[in-house]
Amino acid sequence: AAPLVVVPLGGTVDKDYPRSQAGYAFEFGDEPAAERVLRMVGGLVPGWAFETRVRQVQVPGFPKDSLEITPEDRERAVGAVRAALEGLPEARVLVTHGTDTLLDTAAALAAMLEGFPGDVAAVLTGARRPERFSQSDAQLNLGLALGALEVAPPGVYLALDLQVLPWKQAARRADGSYCRSGGDV
């Protein structure tokens, strides 16, 4: 099986309850949501082990809210993905990200993968509520992304809102949900 490269960039999916007593703003937790969910999957699927299947990429300066990602941050994140893929004939890339600027990072990742040697499919996903919270869409979106990575041809995709979309065919609605371009945006 192709290695799974996991790139936790932050966003709501990775946020946690505030650690300070008077805190009211969510903070990033110590462990990325994708790691928690993938370790759980490893306990459920025979032969699937986090330690042997996953390559986690830590990007300096991350995690952060996607509204705070600068062009330099995005370039650094894409460069870290490129470095992680070097020498791999095939790979699957899972990026967790805030939903506000997901399409910007998808475009940057797609530009980097154009002409990249090797069979690479990348899926970006996020959540409207932190994975730590009840009634979060995080586990569903992460599961959707993992399933898409098993069958998707090379390219860059979004996995959100019960759908997997090629990034160029995705649009963000005013309510923050995603749809196919040309849909009710």
Side-chain angles (χ1 to χ4, degrees), residues 35-51:
E35 182 175 340
R36 283 191 301 275
V37 171
L38 288 169
R39 286 188 185 281
M40 180 187 68
V41 167
L44 299 173
V45 178
W48 203 101
F50 181 87
E51 290 73 21

Side-chain angles (χ1 to χ4, degrees), residues 92-160:
R92 300 297 174 254
V93 179
L94 172 64
V95 179
T96 58
H97 195 289
T99 59
D100 287 311
T101 64
L102 197 69
L103 286 171
D104 297 334
T105 301
L109 189 56
M112 182 274 289
L113 289 175
E114 278 183 25
F116 192 84
D119 174 9
V120 179
V123 176
L124 293 87
T125 192
R128 284 190 190 73
R129 283 189 173 178
E131 182 267 338
R132 291 268 195 201
F133 289 24
S134 65
Q135 299 181 3
S136 171
D137 55 338
Q139 290 182 349
L140 175 66
N141 290 341
L142 284 162
L144 184 64
L146 287 171
L149 285 170
E150 289 296 319
V151 298
V156 177
Y157 305 87
L158 305 185
L160 294 156

Side-chain angles (χ1 to χ4, degrees), residues 5 17 32 36 57 62 67 69 101 103 106 111 130 132 135 169:
V5 177
Y17 293 100
R36 283 191 301 275
V57 176
F62 287 88
L67 290 174
I69 296 176
T101 64
L103 286 171
R132 291 268 195 201
Q135 299 181 3
Q169 296 176 19

Side-chain angles (χ1 to χ4, degrees), residues 12-69:
T12 299
V13 67
D14 282 328
K15 290 187 178 177
D16 209 334
Y17 293 100
R19 288 178 220 135
S20 61
Q21 284 185 337
Y24 61 89
F26 301 119
E27 301 171 6
F28 289 105
D30 297 329
E31 181 183 43
E35 182 175 340
R36 283 191 301 275
V37 171
L38 288 169
R39 286 188 185 281
M40 180 187 68
V41 167
L44 299 173
V45 178
W48 203 101
F50 181 87
E51 290 73 21
T52 58
R53 181 87 194 269
V54 175
R55 292 183 182 192
Q56 243 187 138
V57 176
Q58 296 301 323
V59 181
F62 287 88
K64 60 174 38 182
D65 189 283
S66 69
L67 290 174
E68 297 173 356
I69 296 176

